[in-house]
Each structure stands twice: as structure tokens, then as C-alpha cells.
């Protein structure tokens, strides 16, 4: 259903990155997430790891239910910001949501559709301490459409170029190499919808 790749950078001297990603398939779809634990070091990494584990255990659940569960279970941590997307083959849609500032873009493979890029609506908040009103958006997806999640250690350009035949891993590596700020942990996750299984 998807091809994907991820590129990460941990600040020198930090044993663990506070940025994590999840790509978790389930019966009719795939859950993808970009997570940024607040702050740096062990506590940031622990919060992000806890959130990732919650998502990996229940990838079939709605993104709103997952954000709520993470919020409840991360109350004793520093918290995370995160963006989630669920692709489903049932109706070929992607449902996404963002709390905090993990940016999300969906780049269309077709050149004759408008708009060519969708931007994830981010609502200010911290999962684990301060949730905004949760609102997920549902978008139809077609084969080749490409999702990019990037944490704030990456300066994702507004006019992000995605080449249709560039592999997701190569794309993630290229974005991280070019756009990494170097002052924070950084993560780029690229997930390309390749179509419903036949
Ligand atoms: Mn960060």
C-alpha cells in the first residue's frame, strides 16, 4: 500500500534523538507519524518513545483516538508534538492531524490537479499537557501521492519539490541533508501511497 523512507539527525552528544517516526501497517491501511519530544536528551527521547509505542500497538484506531490516548499516557512526561496520518485502502483516503509543529505536506503525483500540495493544519498544543480541539482532515489519495512529515529541526520549504520517480528514502535523505537546521534533532518521514492491493 505504501513505500516509505525516513531520515533522522540527532544532535551531537545526545545518545538518543527526541524525534521518532512510526510506520505501522494494519489490515486495511497504514498509520504514519512524526513525533518530536519536547526539549532534548533522555526525557525528550523517553516521551517520544512512549508515544511511538502507543501508536504501534493500535495503528488501526482513528487518529483522534490515538492522540487522546497518547495525551492521557504522556501526562507524566515532558510531552510531545506530533502529526499522524492514516492511509486506508477501503476508500483510498488519508486522514491526518497535527498537534504542535510537526509539518505535514501531501504532494500530488498528478500534474493536472489543484492544488498540487496540501498542507496539514497544525493546532498549537502539547500531547501530554495541553491538547487543542482535535480536528482531522480527510483527503482522497491516488497512487504516487507523497506525504512528507518534518520536525522543526528541518526548514521545510514552502515550495517543496518532489520528483515522482525519486524513492521515498532518497527523498527523505535529500530533504534532511539540504534543510536540516543543525540546532535541533531532525526527522523527515516520506510515505508514498502506491495504491490499494488488488
Ligand atoms: Mn524539535
Amino acid at each position: 500500500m505504501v513505500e516509505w523512507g525516513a531520515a533522522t539527525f540527532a544532535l551531537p552528544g545526545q545518545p538518543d534523538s527526541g524525534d521518532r517516526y512510526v510506520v505501522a501497517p494494519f489490515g486495511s491501511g497504514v498509520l504514519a507519524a512524526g513525533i518530536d519530544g519536547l526539549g532534548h536528551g533522555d526525557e525528550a527521547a523517553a516521551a517520544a518513545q512512549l508515544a511511538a509505542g502507543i501508536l504501534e500497538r493500535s495503528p488501526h484506531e482513528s487518529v483522534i483516538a490515538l492522540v487522546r490516548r497518547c495525551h492521557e499516557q504522556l501526562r507524566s512526561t515532558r510531552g510531545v508534538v506530533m502529526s499522524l496520518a492514516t492511509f486506508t485502502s477501503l476508500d483510498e483516503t488519508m486522514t491526518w492531524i497535527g498537534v504542535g509543529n510537526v509539518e505535514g505536506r501531501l504532494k500530488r503525483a498528478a500534474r493536472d490537479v489543484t492544488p498540487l500540495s496540501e498542507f496539514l493544519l497544525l493546532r498549537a498544543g502539547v500531547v501530554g499537557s495541553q491538547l487543542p480541539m482535535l480536528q482531522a482532515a480527510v483527503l482522497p489519495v491516488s497512487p504516487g501521492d507523497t506525504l512528507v512529515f518534518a520536525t522543526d529541526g528541518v526548514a521545510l520549504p514552502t515550495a517543496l519539490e518532489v520528483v515522482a520517480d525519486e524513492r521515498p528514502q532518497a527523498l527523505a535523505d535529500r530533504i534532511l541533508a539540504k534543510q536540516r537546521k543543525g540546532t535541533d534533532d531532525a526527522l523527515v518521514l516520506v510515505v508514498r501511497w502506491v495504491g490499494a492491493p488488488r
Side-chain angles (χ1 to χ4, degrees):
M1 281 179 280
V2 301
E3 293 173 353
W4 63 276
T8 58
F9 167 79
L11 276 181
Q14 304 282 355
D16 265 329
S17 175
D19 290 5
R20 298 278 297 230
Y21 64 88
V22 170
V23 179
F26 57 94
S28 56
V30 179
L31 171 69
I35 304 165
D36 184 349
L38 260 62
H40 303 292
D42 290 347
E43 289 182 51
Q49 186 175 352
L50 184 57
I54 291 164
L55 303 180
E56 284 162 354
R57 281 192 294 278
S58 304
H60 56 282
E61 292 195 32
S62 79
V63 292
I64 288 180
L66 289 170
V67 170
R68 284 197 187 124
R69 178 162 324 143
C70 287
H71 179 63
E72 293 304 322
Q73 298 190 16
L74 267 64
R75 283 186 188 279
S76 62
T77 73
R78 302 175 70 154
V80 302
V81 291
M82 65 182 189
S83 292
L84 314 180
T86 297
F87 293 85
T88 174
S89 60
L90 298 177
D91 55 2
E92 287 209 73
T93 59
M94 182 194 75
T95 302
W96 62 355
I97 193 168
V99 175
N101 64 356
V102 178
E103 285 196 76
R105 305 282 176 80
L106 182 71
K107 304 291 288 186
R108 298 299 190 181
R111 305 317 293 172
D112 56 351
V113 298
T114 308
L116 286 169
S117 295
E118 301 281 357
F119 292 71
L120 172 61
L121 173 69
L122 295 172
R123 287 198 162 160
V126 175
V127 177
S129 63
Q130 184 79 46
L131 273 195
M133 186 61 69
L134 299 179
Q135 180 184 348
V138 185
L139 299 168
V141 285
S142 297
D145 288 354
T146 302
L147 168 71
V148 178
F149 278 151
T151 61
D152 66 349
V154 179
L156 206 58
T158 306
L160 175 67
E161 283 297 321
V162 170
V163 184
D165 58 2
E166 187 173 18
R167 311 304 332 154
Q169 185 62 56
L171 179 56
D173 289 339
R174 180 168 64 83
I175 295 171
L176 187 78
K178 271 181 73 175
Q179 308 296 151
R180 176 163 65 78
K181 293 175 183 168
T183 53
D184 194 0
D185 296 333
L187 161 71
V188 178
L189 174 64
V190 175
V191 182
R192 179 169 292 150
W193 178 249
V194 297
R198 296 172 191 283

